[in-house]
Amino acid sequence: QALAEGVTPIVIGLAADSGCGKSTFMRRVTSTFGGDQCGPLGGGFGNGGWETNTLVSDMATVICLDDYHLNDRGGRKISGLTALNTAEQKFDLMYEHVRALKEGKSVMKPIYNHVNGTLDAPEKIEPTPVIIIEGLHPFVDERVRDLIDFSLYLDISPAVKLNWKIQRDMEERGHSLESILASIEARKPDFDAYIEPQKQFADYIIEVLPTDLDPEDKKTLKVRAIQRKGVPDFSPTYLFDEGSEITWIPSADKLSSPAPGIKVAYRQEEYFGNDVAVLEMDGNFDNIQELVYVESNLGNTNSKFYGEVTQAMLSLADSPGSNNGTGLMQTLAAFAIRELYNKKAAAAKLASNKKVAAAAA
Ligand code: ADP
Ligand code: G6P
């Protein structure tokens, strides 16, 4: 849809390493914007859930920042640098494109083809009310950061990352454990140097760690939504009582869970010198429907009606993380993004009404 009068797109940034669940997360976000109507546009095939690099609906456009790679795969063989290295990314073009889209202009965006490792012919991207840039480097360039209205970082701890990789590359693709370990080791220095430092710029960090409930358990996850306070148009989700410290073990009759059980917490902390509210869920639940028991005790969920968070979880029940805090926190983040958009759109409408009234007077 064409942008309404006076409406400027909001820009959402999502940073994460590849293979950390960005596609799944994006599906939760776009589905809150009516992502069912999403149609494919352009070429390349993503390596995980996305069919194309750019996913477009009437409301939202998702741009994969791999499209701004400086070199194709062959070029990186010659440069000897990984795609994680900021020297392999075209930040000027990225900035120009995000700025243009935010000004309501279309752009010709390159396409990085993940299958061939080639840079394909550019595609035209039209501005939509919500522009999401996701990938390795959304917060590296200060000019791009200044254009972003809300920034998210998916922080998957090394132990969990290894587990997910084993699950996918060893169990599903037949790679050896040695080769998986070697590829993680090879990426680590560049990950530490170029990706991880972006955490400090994020408004909302989803941290995924091994459970605290049983030291032997390597599969169960503890998930923390680290929510920055004082971000315009964003009110962190809380448990029971805003600003308090709470650990809660929900009644097993109302929220049944497999061993080692489930624990929810809410804390006030500091993160890179900023005040944050942290919502935690450690453990899995058996039935998504029962999540409404947790939801009923949360505040600032940005839902439109009672139970909407649980309903959104049910609608994507088959996606990874739908039985634990990864799905819950991603859904809450998606709702926060929708609310941010609604508030900005309302403010823009008010401003344009005032302009009309002033012109008429
Ligand atoms: P990305 O888009 O960042 O490359 P994907 O969304 O394709 O990542 O996820 C990569 C893999 O990680 C999935 O195939 C899945 O095995 C695993 N994964 C992602 N999110 C979760 C989750 N919340 N819980 C368990 N496994 C997950
Ligand atoms: C990262 C980037 C991808 C790139 C991959 C492998 O995950 O996000 O765009 O394709 O690294 O890099 P390679 O040099 O093997 O293509």
Side-chain angles (χ1 to χ4, degrees):
Q1 83 188 27
L3 289 169
E5 169 71 20
V7 174
T8 54
I10 67 160
V11 179
I12 307 295
L14 170 64
D17 200 359
S18 58
C20 284
K22 285 195 300 289
S23 313
T24 316
F25 189 12
M26 283 301 100
R27 207 170 303 124
R28 293 192 198 276
V29 173
T30 52
S31 82
T32 66
F33 284 106
D36 289 351
Q37 312 134 27
C38 284
L41 216 193
F45 286 83
N47 33 12
W50 285 138
E51 300 256 301
T52 60
N53 288 4
T54 314
L55 202 104
V56 179
S57 76
D58 285 355
M59 281 299 298
T61 304
V62 180
I63 294 177
C64 172
L65 296 175
D66 287 350
D67 292 333
Y68 296 92
H69 281 340
L70 177 65
N71 290 304
D72 58 13
R73 195 170 290 156
R76 281 195 295 277
K77 288 233 164 72
I78 295 166
S79 74
L81 302 177
T82 70
L84 303 169
N85 194 309
T86 47
E88 285 291 340
Q89 195 71 0
K90 287 190 270 195
F91 287 101
D92 286 344
L93 188 64
M94 190 200 287
Y95 163 63
E96 280 161 28
H97 281 187
V98 177
R99 191 183 62 182
L101 288 166
K102 199 159 182 169
E103 287 169 354
K105 299 173 191 150
S106 63
V107 299
M108 289 302 289
K109 181 188 65 56
I111 296 174
Y112 179 70
N113 182 323
H114 285 94
V115 178
N116 310 324
T118 52
L119 286 159
D120 295 349
E123 62 179 340
K124 188 173 185 180
I125 302 292
E126 305 277 5
T128 49
V130 181
I131 309 280
I132 302 172
I133 57 171
E134 60 96 354
L136 299 171
H137 305 113
F139 316 139
V140 167
D141 188 307
E142 191 182 351
R143 299 166 303 172
V144 178
R145 283 206 301 275
D146 288 344
L147 292 169
I148 292 176
D149 295 286
F150 197 64
S151 50
L152 303 107
Y153 186 99
L154 270 184
D155 188 6
I156 313 299
S157 72
V160 175
K161 224 189 256 187
L162 176 61
N163 254 323
W164 288 1
K165 266 213 173 316
I166 287 175
Q167 204 173 309
R168 190 180 67 178
D169 294 348
M170 195 160 116
E171 293 170 16
E172 290 165 27
R173 298 184 183 171
H175 297 189
S176 71
L177 182 59
E178 296 74 59
S179 75
I180 294 168
L181 287 170
S183 89
I184 288 182
E185 273 309 299
R187 286 173 66 90
K188 191 161 184 328
D190 282 354
F191 176 80
D192 293 347
Y194 303 112
I195 312 302
E196 180 147 68
Q198 294 176 89
K199 271 195 229 183
Q200 63 188 295
F201 302 117
D203 300 318
Y204 199 114
I205 299 99
I206 299 181
E207 219 172 59
V208 184
L209 306 147
T211 181
D212 279 342
L213 302 171
D214 174 3
E216 300 300 308
D217 186 331
K218 303 281 180 239
K219 286 252 152 100
T220 303
L221 304 174
K222 173 170 103 169
V223 184
R224 291 163 44 89
I226 300 170
Q227 313 167 88
R228 196 155 162 175
K229 296 178 186 174
V231 175
D233 296 323
F234 168 62
S235 306
T237 302
Y238 63 86
L239 176 67
F240 294 116
D241 180 27
E242 189 160 20
S244 58
E245 301 283 328
I246 289 171
T247 56
W248 177 44
I249 296 179
S251 151
D253 291 338
K254 295 180 191 158
L255 183 72
S256 80
S257 61
I262 194 159
K263 188 166 153 189
V264 186
Y266 173 58
R267 313 174 198 282
Q268 317 305 313
E269 296 182 5
E270 240 188 53
Y271 189 81
F272 290 97
N274 298 308
D275 288 331
V276 294
V278 182
L279 184 66
E280 266 180 39
M281 178 176 273
D282 191 347
N284 298 320
F285 38 86
D286 288 322
N287 303 307
I288 300 177
Q289 287 95 326
E290 291 180 350
L291 195 64
V292 78
Y293 174 42
V294 176
E295 182 179 356
S296 68
N297 291 308
L298 297 176
N300 289 342
T301 58
N302 301 303
S303 56
K304 287 188 289 198
F305 52 86
Y306 180 76
E308 196 194 5
V309 173
T310 304
Q311 191 192 72
M313 291 282 287
L314 278 167
S315 75
L316 289 171
D318 293 334
S319 294
S322 291
N323 64 337
N324 64 41
T326 55
L328 175 62
M329 304 312 171
Q330 289 177 5
T331 302
L332 289 170
F335 279 33
I337 292 169
R338 183 182 67 184
E339 181 65 11
L340 205 85
Y341 165 73
N342 286 336
K343 284 188 174 147
K344 294 231 191 272
K349 192 154 181 229
L350 194 70
S352 109
N353 286 349
K354 275 195 185 140
K355 228 165 88 186
V356 171

